[in-house]
Every structure is written in C-alpha cells, then in structure tokens.
C-alpha cells in the first residue's frame, strides 16, 4: 500500500469530487432530522500544499488553484470554496481540506460522521484532526469491512462516500461487491463512488456488471479534462451515485460545465451526465 493522496490533493479530480460531495450534503440538509456521513477511504483529512510531495507533482495547480478565485457566481462552487477558504483564513491557498474536513464543514449539530482509513500514519493524522470532536468517529480499519459494521447507521438517512485509490485491479470487483452488499443492507442510503477515467481500466465492465444487478436509480456524472483516449494519464473522473437527490441529474450540467471550462486542458473539458439505471 504505497498510495499517498498528498501527491494528488486539490487536483481536478478532488475539485470535482468535493463539489459534488457538497451538493449531496446540501440535499441532506433539506430535512431537519440528523444524517450520517460515512466514508470508507477518508485519507488524512487535510493536506499542506507547500509539502514537497504536493509541490513535486504540482497537481493542485491544475485543480484548486484554477478555481480558488472563482467569482462566476456558481452557487455550488461558491459553497465548496467556503470550506476550502475556512482552512486558509489568511486568504492564501496553502491547505487543501480532504473530504472529511469538507464534509465536517456542512455537518449540523444533529449530524454524525463515520470515517475509515487503513494506513496507520494517515489514520493517526485523521484522528488528531478530529480528536475533540464528538460528532466524528474515526476507525483505522479497511473501509469495506467498516461498511459491514456501520450499515445501516442509527440516523437511518445519509451518504456513503467510497473513494478508493484504485492501485489494484481487484478494486473494481471489491467495489461492485461493496455496493451490492451495502444497498442490500441499507437501500435508503445515498452512495457516491468516485472512479477514474483512464485508458485500460475496466470501467465499462464495471458499469455493465452494475446494470446487471437488481438495483435502480443510479446516476453517473463524469468530467473529462483531457480527450478520453489519451494514453498513460488520468483523463478525467466520475462519480456513480446510487439514490441521488431529486433533480440532481438536471442540475449537474449547470454546476459542472463552468468547472469543466476552468479545469479542461488542450481542447477543453467535457461533462457527461447519464442514468446508468433509471428510477
Ligand atoms: C483517494 S484517497 C482518499 C481521499 C479522500 N477521500 C479525500 O477526498 O480527501 C484514498 C485513501 O484510501 C486509503 N486506503 C487505501 N486502502 C484502504 C482500505 N482498504 N481501507 C481504507 N482506506 C484505505 C489510502 O491511504 C488513501 O488515504
């Protein structure tokens, strides 16, 4: 297990994922009843973009650095940026909040957060970040095993984010099994699974395997920043959303297209939203 998200923190994929995450959390806030936010691959929670790893890859420069000063009035992007700015109170971009930190920004007093992160070093950082926070529960365990213990959460409403590193080809099969298990255990939950758009990945097979299961109401949103057939690089990414909030499908183009314009490279970014399985 060598994956270190610090190399990738704040890249275009993080921006896409976290803008969507905020939109999903906002939808849960529409009701007063508390919700649970559960995350299987939480990471350390916050990243110092001045660290040598982030500086070496420079990925954030084509991600958050292109969006940081956005003044276009895109409500969803503004909402996300409030969480990023909260970690950079002096107005200079230095710290990039990971998904747990962003989610925490949108938790109300009645909501809870359950996080899993396996590598001990990253998990220790995550625990330290939320050490005195009674609304946050951190476990240094395998995220897929955590799902078995967590679901259904006591709140009975909420969101599960699954954001694995995709270091091993079997990740796709683990994901498929995790989704089937989780939906079986807690069909009312919303599930968001991040995935890479990269030549040579079994994404098409994964999607057709999911379609073949007895599940409905699955939306996919994708952002490509490079042409999809460019070899050897991350060309874009997507989010598979089971039980998306009402009307998300029609709202996503307006949310994501301005982002694609900012984040696209070469001939520009492209957004694609499709129902993998309709309601
Ligand atoms: C893509 S990063 C997560 C980034 C985070 N979700 C965010 O958006 O800020 C994936 C994380 O999963 C962790 N990880 C790898 N295998 C894991 C496993 N089996 N269970 C839980 N975490 C794991 C890695 O250490 C890494 O921090």
């Amino acid at each position: 297990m060598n994956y270190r998200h610090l190399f990738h923190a704040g890249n275009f994929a993080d921006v896409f994922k976290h803008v969507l995450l905020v939109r999903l959390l906002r939808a849960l806030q529409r009701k007063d009843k508390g919700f649970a936010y559960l995350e299987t691959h939480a990471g350390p929670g916050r990243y110092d973009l001045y660290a040598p790893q982030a500086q070496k890859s420079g990925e954030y420069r084509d991600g958050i650095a292109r969006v940081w000063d956005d003044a276009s009035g895109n409500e969803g992007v503004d909402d996300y940026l409030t969480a990023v700015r909260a970690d950079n109170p002096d107005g200079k971009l230095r710290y990039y909040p990971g998904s747990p930190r962003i989610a925490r920004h949108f938790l109300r007093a009645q909501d809870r957060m359950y996080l899993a992160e396996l590598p001990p070093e990253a998990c220790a950082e995550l625990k330290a970040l939320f050490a005195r926070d009674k609304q946050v529960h951190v476990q240094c365990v395998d995220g897929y095993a955590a799902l078995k213990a967590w679901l259904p959460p006591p709140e009975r409403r909420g969101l599960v984010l699954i954001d694995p590193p995709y270091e091993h080809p079997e990740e796709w099969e683990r994901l498929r099994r995790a989704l089937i298990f989780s939906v079986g255990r807690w069909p009312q939950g919303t599930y968001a699974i991040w995935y890479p758009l990269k030549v040579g990945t079994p994404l098409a097979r994964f999607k057709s395997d999911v379609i073949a299961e007895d599940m409905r109401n699955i939306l996919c949103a994708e952002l490509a920043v490079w042409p999809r057939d460019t070899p050897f690089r991350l060309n874009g990414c997507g989010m598979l959303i089971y039980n998306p909030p009402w009307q998300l499908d029609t709202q996503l183009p307006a949310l994501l297209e301005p982002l694609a314009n900012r984040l696209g490279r070469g001939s520009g970014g492209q957004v694609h939203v499709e129902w993998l399985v309709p309601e």
Side-chain angles (χ1 to χ4, degrees), residues 80-218:
Y80 150 77
L81 285 174
T82 59
V84 183
R85 290 190 181 126
D87 266 346
N88 296 279
D90 65 0
K92 262 202 215 138
L93 175 63
R94 170 162 187 177
Y95 293 103
Y96 188 74
S99 41
R101 184 97 178 153
I102 291 181
R104 182 66 185 90
H105 194 79
F106 295 93
L107 249 52
R108 306 158 303 174
Q110 64 270 44
D111 307 323
R112 294 285 174 276
M113 188 152 96
Y114 303 83
L115 307 171
E117 166 68 24
L118 187 57
E121 203 183 310
C123 190
E125 284 182 50
L126 188 64
K127 279 198 157 170
L129 200 60
F130 295 112
R132 280 173 295 279
D133 193 331
K134 292 204 166 21
Q135 287 177 251
V136 182
H137 307 273
V138 179
Q139 287 176 276
C140 304
V141 296
D142 171 61
Y144 298 110
L147 280 177
K148 297 196 169 147
W150 286 339
L151 300 184
E155 292 78 6
R156 301 282 166 159
R157 59 188 297 264
L159 168 67
V160 178
L161 175 64
I162 307 181
D163 181 24
Y166 292 90
E167 280 187 302
H168 303 293
E170 65 268 24
E171 193 86 66
W172 297 88
E173 177 54 18
R174 292 192 81 188
L175 270 174
R176 187 187 69 84
R177 279 193 262 124
L179 181 64
I180 294 164
F181 164 81
S182 304
V183 168
R185 190 58 96 70
W186 186 38
Q188 298 80 9
T190 294
Y191 298 85
I193 299 178
W194 181 91
Y195 56 83
L197 299 180
K198 214 172 183 175
V199 173
T201 64
L203 175 61
R205 167 86 195 270
F206 172 73
K207 284 183 176 174
S208 58
D209 285 351
V210 169
I211 292 170
E213 295 297 330
D214 186 20
M215 291 188 281
R216 305 207 63 75
N217 207 11
I218 303 179

Side-chain angles (χ1 to χ4, degrees), residues 1 3-5 14 17-18 21 37 39-47 96-100 116-119 122 141-144 161 163-165 167 171 174 194:
M1 229 171 5
Y3 183 89
R4 294 280 310 274
H5 195 66
D14 265 4
K17 175 188 8 176
H18 296 149
L21 170 63
Y37 171 71
E39 188 171 346
T40 54
H41 297 71
R46 186 164 58 179
Y47 305 89
Y96 188 74
S99 41
E117 166 68 24
L118 187 57
V141 296
D142 171 61
Y144 298 110
L161 175 64
D163 181 24
E167 280 187 302
E171 193 86 66
R174 292 192 81 188
W194 181 91

Side-chain angles (χ1 to χ4, degrees), residues 5-78:
H5 195 66
L6 181 53
F7 286 96
H8 313 292
N11 68 2
F12 78 85
D14 265 4
V15 173
F16 167 84
K17 175 188 8 176
H18 296 149
V19 165
L20 272 179
L21 170 63
V22 170
R23 177 51 68 99
L24 295 173
L25 291 166
R26 282 294 195 202
L28 284 165
Q29 289 180 339
R30 282 184 210 140
K31 287 188 184 155
D32 286 341
K33 188 175 180 317
F35 65 80
Y37 171 71
L38 309 106
E39 188 171 346
T40 54
H41 297 71
R46 186 164 58 179
Y47 305 89
D48 182 355
L49 298 176
Y50 288 7
Q53 296 91 329
Q55 287 294 320
K56 186 172 173 218
S57 76
E59 288 189 25
Y60 76 90
R61 294 192 190 101
D62 290 317
I64 182 60
R66 288 180 176 220
V67 176
W68 167 251
D69 61 354
D70 182 77
S72 64
N74 182 324
E75 210 182 304
V77 173
D78 278 354

